């Protein structure tokens, strides 16, 4: 393969990576709920993707491959953090909340809080399925776990979420707005 | 699959809502949901929660830094590509540079989407510019970042090829640049004295977070505190710098 073909392929990949940035950022944000950390994780993910692009065998699986890298970056971050601080002690929403919140903002806050308190594995599965519409097989590939584990983690995540939303401090507002949500047909 | 709706597992109902069932199981659950109110309710609850999660992340806070989009090839870019091609296709002494040129090309492929400064590719062939990103307070990693910086800078003097190194620390990594916590304050002072092209950046956001927790943050003299790690890394990426997490 000549150098121009390589350039052409790399250019194509860089375009695809760029188009995936927002998607990756949303996933990263839903995992960590910190805009700066999410941006760092995406930056690292894209850097590693470019550096290791030869490892991508199937271009159709680019999104799963990127999620795999993102997940590894996040695990690395957690490992480095584990000895340093208790993440539960950090108010992850402190920089984006105001005193006066609309009903919708309160609901958003309640859901994000509940998601943030899920164990990491459950949080990852839930967000990939619910936000990005990954199939169970795709999640299994992205997170390198069996499909049965995907299903059980998703099930536990949704049950926990349901319970938290039912009895949390935001119950009233959740119930009020829940009625406004049109069920999926 | 069982047709007893009490024994329908949550996993099956989830799979139904997520469209992850084969058509046979799908039709069976659909029929059950029409026959049994309890099944319909369980499905509705899952659907509603799924919708709530989706809604909660529809508009998320964006990082302060925006990422500009590429606007196609400029003459500068084409010139840079030709230069890299020439470097890569040569022989003899140039062949030794081939690997470096290829690496530069890989970085460029990514950077071209976030920068229009194609001249950076050509400059990279002679000048090494690298950002070392430290996010850990592990003393071994702190030392590794300083070792790596010194290696590059000392090597550049040896080879008469200029090099610029920035160590950017944020999160727990900020400890490296805090006068009260850094185990390497003396070495940092020595490096600063010996290598003027070494820049040290303490993330403004990380400092602010500590201050919000009531912690007094005393940064080692000469360490820049004017920008966040993300901003700095992004800016340097735009300018064609290499990025290396430690």
């Amino acid at each position: 393969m000549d150098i121009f073909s390589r350039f052409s392929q790399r250019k194509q990949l860089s375009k695809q990576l760029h188009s995936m940035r927002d998607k990756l950022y949303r996933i990263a944000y839903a995992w960590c709920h910190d805009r700066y950390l999410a941006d760092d994780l995406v930056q690292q993910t894209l850097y590693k993707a470019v550096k290791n692009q030869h490892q991508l065998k199937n271009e159709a699986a680019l999104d799963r491959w990127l999620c795999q890298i993102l997940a590894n970056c996040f695990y690395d971050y957690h490992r480095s953090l584990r000895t340093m601080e208790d993440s539960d002690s950090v108010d992850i929403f402190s920089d984006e909340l105001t005193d006066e919140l609309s009903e919708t903002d309160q609901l958003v806050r309640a859901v994000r809080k509940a998601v943030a308190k899920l164990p990491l594995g459950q949080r990852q599965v839930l967000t990939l399925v619910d936000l990005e519409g990954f199939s169970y097989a795709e999640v299994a590939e992205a997170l390198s776990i069996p499909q049965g584990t995907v299903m059980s983690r998703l099930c536990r995540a949704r049950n926990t979420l349901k319970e938290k939303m039912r009895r949390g401090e935001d119950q009233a507002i959740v119930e009020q707005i829940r009625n406004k949500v049109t069920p999926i047909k | 699959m069982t047709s007893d709706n009490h024994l329908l597992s949550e996993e099956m109902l989830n799979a139904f809502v997520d469209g992850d069932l084969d058509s046979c199981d799908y039709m069976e659950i659909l029929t059950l949901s029409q026959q049994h109110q309890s099944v319909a309710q369980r499905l509705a609850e899952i659907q509603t929660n799924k919708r709530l999660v989706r809604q909660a992340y529809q508009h998320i806070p964006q990082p302060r830094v925006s990422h500009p989009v590429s606007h196609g090839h400029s003459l500068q870019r084409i010139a840079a590509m030709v230069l890299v091609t020439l470097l890569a296709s040569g022989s003899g002494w140039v062949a030794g540079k081939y690997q470096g040129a290829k690496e530069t090309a890989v970085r460029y492929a990514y950077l071209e989407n976030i920068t229009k400064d194609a001249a950076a590719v050509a400059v990279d062939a002679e000048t090494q510019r690298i950002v070392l990103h430290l996010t850990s307070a592990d003393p071994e990693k702190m030392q590794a970042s300083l070792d790596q910086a010194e290696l590059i800078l000392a090597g550049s003097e040896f080879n008469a090829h200029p090099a610029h190194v920035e160590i950017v620390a944020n999160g727990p990594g900020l400890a490296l640049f805090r006068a009260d916590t850094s185990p390497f304050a003396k070495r940092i002072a020595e490096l600063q004295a010996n290598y003027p092209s070494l820049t040290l950046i303490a993330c403004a956001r990380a400092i602010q977070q500590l201050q919000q927790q009531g912690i007094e943050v005393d940064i080692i003299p000469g360490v820049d505190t004017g920008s966040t790690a993300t901003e700095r890394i992004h800016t340097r990426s735009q300018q064609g710098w290499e990025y290396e997490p430690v």
Side-chain angles (χ1 to χ4, degrees):
Chain A
M1 188 185 298
D2 63 37
I3 191 78
F4 285 108
S5 305
R6 286 189 189 136
F7 260 117
S8 168
Q9 280 190 352
R10 283 165 188 158
K11 184 173 162 49
Q12 182 62 28
L13 179 71
S14 69
K15 271 186 183 167
Q16 287 175 311
L17 291 179
H18 189 71
S19 68
M20 290 287 292
R21 177 178 265 282
D22 288 349
K23 192 173 183 173
L24 284 172
Y25 176 75
R26 185 166 54 174
I27 295 170
Y29 181 82
W31 288 356
C32 69
H33 295 89
D34 178 322
R35 72 178 92 170
Y36 300 99
L37 175 59
D39 200 39
D40 280 352
L41 290 171
V42 172
Q43 185 87 5
Q44 282 186 29
T45 299
L46 294 177
Y47 172 78
K48 287 183 178 176
V50 171
K51 200 173 167 188
N52 302 315
Q53 58 183 288
H54 58 279
Q55 292 174 3
L56 176 64
K57 303 297 178 202
N58 175 14
E59 279 189 25
L62 179 67
D63 54 352
R64 273 98 76 197
W65 184 62
L66 289 173
C67 280
Q68 212 167 22
I69 300 173
L70 179 66
N72 287 334
C73 289
F74 196 39
Y75 297 144
D76 287 345
Y77 172 78
H78 261 268
R79 269 193 289 271
S80 68
L81 196 67
R82 201 166 294 157
T83 54
M84 292 308 302
E85 60 179 283
D86 175 8
S87 60
D88 289 342
S89 66
V90 180
D91 182 0
I92 54 176
F93 300 101
S94 60
D95 66 337
E96 58 201 51
L97 293 177
T98 59
D99 291 336
E100 295 174 10
L101 292 171
S102 69
E103 282 182 352
T104 310
D105 287 341
Q106 287 183 55
L107 177 65
V108 163
R109 180 190 180 190
V111 176
R112 285 188 192 167
K113 259 174 106 173
V115 171
K117 285 183 179 170
L118 291 172
L120 176 59
Q122 294 179 28
R123 207 184 318 153
Q124 288 178 313
V125 170
L126 180 86
T127 51
L128 287 178
V129 172
D130 283 357
L131 301 186
E132 302 307 326
F134 276 33
S135 70
Y136 295 170
E138 288 171 338
V139 176
E141 187 186 343
L143 299 179
S144 308
I145 53 176
Q147 197 167 321
T149 307
V150 172
M151 294 176 76
S152 58
R153 281 185 187 174
L154 181 66
C155 195
R156 284 201 296 275
R158 283 181 174 161
N159 282 338
T160 308
L161 209 56
K162 190 169 67 181
E163 288 308 311
K164 278 184 177 162
M165 301 297 283
R166 266 185 187 158
R167 58 183 160 73
E169 55 183 21
D170 307 287
Q171 185 190 1
I173 188 71
V174 169
E175 286 305 321
Q176 196 180 342
I177 297 173
R178 190 192 292 274
N179 296 331
K180 296 179 185 173
V181 177
T182 316
I184 300 166
K185 301 281 182 195
Chain B
M1 187 180 71
T2 176
S3 58
D4 185 339
N5 76 78
H6 294 293
L7 297 179
L8 270 179
S9 74
E10 284 293 312
E11 290 183 2
M12 292 297 286
L13 295 180
N14 276 314
F16 175 86
V17 170
D18 296 323
D20 226 298
L21 282 181
D22 62 38
S23 55
C24 185
D25 286 347
Y26 183 88
M27 287 311 294
E28 196 167 344
I29 292 187
L30 189 64
T31 308
L32 282 171
S33 71
Q34 286 162 349
Q35 291 170 346
H36 302 278
Q37 182 66 20
S38 61
V39 175
Q41 273 178 352
R42 289 165 73 188
L43 287 173
E45 199 152 25
I46 295 170
Q47 285 172 333
T48 307
N49 278 334
K50 186 180 171 86
R51 178 70 64 90
L52 284 171
V53 171
R54 231 184 264 172
Q55 199 173 316
Y57 294 93
Q58 207 166 12
H59 303 289
I60 54 177
Q62 293 298 313
R64 213 181 307 163
V65 180
S66 63
H67 301 278
V69 182
S70 165
H71 296 291
H73 280 291
S74 67
L75 283 174
Q76 271 187 319
R77 282 185 182 177
I78 293 166
M81 284 170 68
V82 169
L83 177 66
V84 173
T85 306
L86 285 173
L87 276 173
S89 59
S91 59
W93 178 82
V94 177
K97 295 277 185 188
Y98 180 71
Q99 190 60 34
K102 275 206 309 185
E103 290 292 320
T104 304
V106 172
R107 285 196 303 279
Y108 177 64
Y110 167 53
L111 291 171
E112 71 176 353
N113 266 338
I114 55 172
T115 178
K116 286 190 260 181
D117 184 12
V121 177
V123 175
D124 267 356
E126 289 300 323
T127 305
Q128 191 172 11
R129 299 180 298 173
I130 183 163
V131 177
L132 303 174
H133 185 193
L134 178 71
T135 56
S136 165
D138 178 349
E140 281 187 17
K141 288 203 170 182
M142 289 185 186
Q143 186 171 353
S145 67
L146 299 175
D147 287 348
Q148 206 170 336
E150 185 163 24
L151 197 68
I152 294 166
L153 294 166
S156 77
E157 286 183 356
F158 225 47
N159 302 326
H161 287 305
H164 298 276
V165 178
E166 270 190 15
I167 302 177
V168 178
N170 69 327
L174 185 70
L176 177 63
F177 295 147
R178 286 176 57 190
D180 54 333
T181 58
S182 179
F184 301 102
K186 193 179 165 197
R187 186 169 174 207
I188 288 171
E190 287 170 1
L191 287 172
Q192 284 176 315
N194 292 336
Y195 302 106
S197 55
L198 172 67
T199 311
L200 307 174
I201 309 287
C203 174
R205 170 75 184 159
I207 295 171
Q208 189 191 9
Q209 277 178 338
L210 289 176
Q211 286 170 338
Q212 281 171 353
Q213 292 168 30
I215 298 169
E216 196 176 326
V217 183
D218 184 12
I219 297 295
I220 290 171
V223 176
D224 190 331
T225 58
S227 55
T228 68
T230 307
E231 283 170 341
R232 192 70 180 189
I233 290 167
H234 177 70
T235 304
R236 288 314 196 189
S237 292
Q238 282 186 315
Q239 295 166 345
W241 288 50
E242 287 179 64
Y243 168 74
E244 186 73 45
V246 180

